[in-house]
Amino acid sequence: MYQISEMVDRNDRVPMMTGRTRRSTIGPTPAGGNSKQANGSKQSSAGEKTPSHPSHSNGKVKKEKQVHEPVRTPQERSKICERLSCHVLQESLLSSASGYSNYRGILNWCVVMLVLSNARLFLENLLKYGILVDPIQVVSLFLKDPYSWPAPCLVIVSNVFIMAALYTERRLSVGTISETTGTFLYLVNLTTLLCFPSATVLTLTSMTPAGGVFALGVYTILFMKLYSYKDVNMWCREIRHTKARTLTRSHSCPSVAQSNGSAVHSHVSYPGNLTHRDIYYFVFAPTLCYELNFPRSPRIRKSFLLRRLFEMLFFIQLLIGLVQQWIVPTIQNSMKPFQDMDFSRMMERMLKLAVPNHLIWLIFFYWFFHSSMNFVAELMQFGDREFYRDWWNSETVTYFWSNWNIPVHKWCLRHFYKPIMRRGVNKWVAQTAVFLVSAFFHEYLVSVPLKMFRLWAFMGMMSQIPLAWFVGRFLRGNHGNAAVWISLIIGQPVAVLMYVHDYYVIHYMSQS
């Protein structure tokens, strides 16, 4: 391209230089000049035609070229080159070698296609079944008898276990009981915390499955919170006894003085944290890990609070409507293929359930982890709002489980994984133990409210171990991310259909 530009400049410069030479050569001789001047002029002219010193004359020509050639700007040269050349060495945009990564338009197209396809399915559902949304039916999911409220009563009883943990810590702080006795009391308290609600749910006939899930969910969260409460206070006593350092931090729930909309916090050290106000702040805070100090936001943002409240009310209504209108008819139509063991129809029912089930799961994630937890955090001025990370970019299964539920991940890492690693346990064994505990609680929250034990949730969680190994070993990048999404979209409908089928067979087929 540079040679083309030089050629163009040379062709443009030659006529101008030639014209200048002619004017200097055949110019008239001035009148009245002597013969020596005339002869000199002739010799000079003759010298230009047949120079006696070629090097000297070439120097003159070069000098005239340098003086009289036009100067072109880079813009002018580039315009000339563009007219002469229009191709460069480059890859196609969709090739991996091109390095192109802006697929925003394609993403928008996918969203539009997803909306249109689901709108067609929703319209088909309305034409086939009519409007099935019934808010009154939601109340019946939690209450069989309007005068019997077993689930809320069971939640109120949980205060007994909170008080037991607080007074055990107070006795331990003053040395009234030994560490061994305190560990035994905690063992009894936490074991009863898991066994008592499950026994109540299995015994009471007035307890509905939805009410049982709600009550056991509260008790499971409380179990993890009180376990963290025990560990942190034990660590504080160890520091105090060894006198390694002084633990002085901000109070986790101080008396707040308002000053121009900002909170002024006091400080506390162990055992000044063993108060009713402190433990109940921790019980209601959107975290599972206890601290003597929690990061606090300076004030409550009313506009932020109202937005989260609106999202909570809107999305819970949307979830209920989608379940009643979309999930329930699909599941009801899936019972006959499961009874007949028609595998092709079973697969078709599972794929049909996958789309609405996954959509509801995504809405639930936003409703719970973003709207609800941010609402509670803002109301309590809880500063740490990292309730999730970018799990949607997960390229491995382990990355997904480490980032989609940060409160549970922090608890497992702080109170289970790292303690057993410090005891010399192998890393792979420690990870398997974490999945084992998670599988137990998943099964606990499903089988006990349904009053049947099929271990589908337990096996689903344990199957994540070989899946995590396979994806981490053989799939990377976009392929790994696609594998994670497929496991989420397909895996959940399989478990849902298994439990619904078994529940239908036990409670309806036996009665008929």
Side-chain angles (χ1 to χ4, degrees), residues 246-256 263-273 278 292-294 296:
T246 302
L247 184 66
T248 303
R249 301 177 182 175
S250 300
H251 203 323
S252 59
C253 185
S255 56
V256 179
V264 180
H265 305 293
S266 60
H267 291 79
V268 72
S269 60
Y270 181 85
N273 62 310
D278 182 88
L292 274 71
N293 161 289
F294 288 110
R296 304 292 299 277

Side-chain angles (χ1 to χ4, degrees), residues 81-347:
C81 293
E82 286 177 1
R83 281 183 282 174
L84 297 177
S85 176
C86 63
H87 296 285
V88 294
L89 183 65
Q90 58 185 339
E91 297 286 345
S92 298
L93 288 183
L94 297 181
S95 300
S96 58
S98 66
Y100 184 78
S101 60
N102 185 12
Y103 298 103
R104 183 179 178 182
I106 296 179
L107 179 62
N108 292 334
W109 171 79
C110 292
V111 172
V112 171
M113 293 297 295
L114 182 65
V115 171
L116 292 177
S117 60
N118 284 282
R120 187 199 66 80
L121 293 175
F122 188 72
L123 181 60
E124 179 186 5
N125 180 277
L126 285 177
L127 295 175
K128 186 175 182 180
Y129 302 108
I131 298 177
L132 302 177
V133 179
D134 185 9
I136 305 300
Q137 189 180 7
V138 179
V139 180
S140 64
L141 293 175
F142 292 89
L143 298 174
K144 285 184 178 179
D145 184 0
Y147 299 100
S148 177
W149 295 36
C153 292
L154 195 58
V155 172
I156 293 173
V157 174
S158 65
N159 288 279
V160 175
F161 302 97
I162 298 173
M163 290 297 99
L166 176 62
Y167 285 103
T168 299
E169 286 297 336
R170 284 184 174 181
R171 299 283 76 80
L172 287 169
S173 65
V174 297
T176 306
I177 59 176
S178 62
E179 289 290 336
T180 304
T181 305
T183 302
F184 175 77
L185 292 176
Y186 261 112
L187 180 63
V188 173
N189 189 35
L190 295 177
T191 304
T192 309
L193 184 62
L194 291 179
C195 296
F196 170 72
S198 58
T200 305
V201 170
L202 293 172
T203 304
L204 293 179
T205 57
S206 59
M207 182 73 74
T208 63
V213 170
F214 172 73
L216 291 181
V218 171
Y219 272 82
T220 302
I221 293 173
L222 188 59
F223 171 84
M224 301 175 78
K225 284 177 176 283
L226 293 184
Y227 191 94
S228 178
Y229 189 74
K230 172 192 76 71
D231 273 358
V232 173
N233 284 295
M234 181 184 66
W235 297 335
C236 290
R237 286 193 300 274
E238 290 175 354
I239 293 173
R240 185 179 65 173
H241 292 332
T242 57
K243 296 181 180 180
R245 58 187 176 90
T246 302
L247 184 66
T248 303
R249 301 177 182 175
S250 300
H251 203 323
S252 59
C253 185
S255 56
V256 179
Q258 296 292 334
S259 176
N260 295 327
S262 61
V264 180
H265 305 293
S266 60
H267 291 79
V268 72
S269 60
Y270 181 85
N273 62 310
L274 303 178
T275 62
H276 293 86
R277 187 172 185 174
D278 182 88
I279 193 171
Y280 273 103
Y281 180 88
F282 172 55
V283 166
F284 287 102
T287 182
L288 299 175
C289 295
Y290 177 70
E291 293 182 13
L292 274 71
N293 161 289
F294 288 110
R296 304 292 299 277
S297 56
R299 61 185 181 86
I300 297 176
R301 298 168 292 177
K302 294 182 177 62
S303 59
F304 181 87
L305 197 68
L306 291 175
R307 285 199 302 271
R308 300 289 84 81
L309 179 61
F310 173 77
E311 290 176 354
M312 289 172 59
L313 297 176
F314 172 76
F315 283 116
I316 193 63
Q317 295 296 326
L318 182 61
L319 285 171
I320 293 171
L322 289 175
V323 169
Q324 291 181 330
Q325 187 70 41
W326 211 346
I327 296 292
V328 173
T330 305
I331 291 177
Q332 289 175 348
N333 294 333
S334 303
M335 293 300 100
K336 192 175 187 312
F338 272 83
Q339 293 170 10
D340 299 338
M341 297 303 292
D342 187 351
F343 291 102
S344 60
R345 292 287 294 170
M346 288 167 58
M347 183 64 66

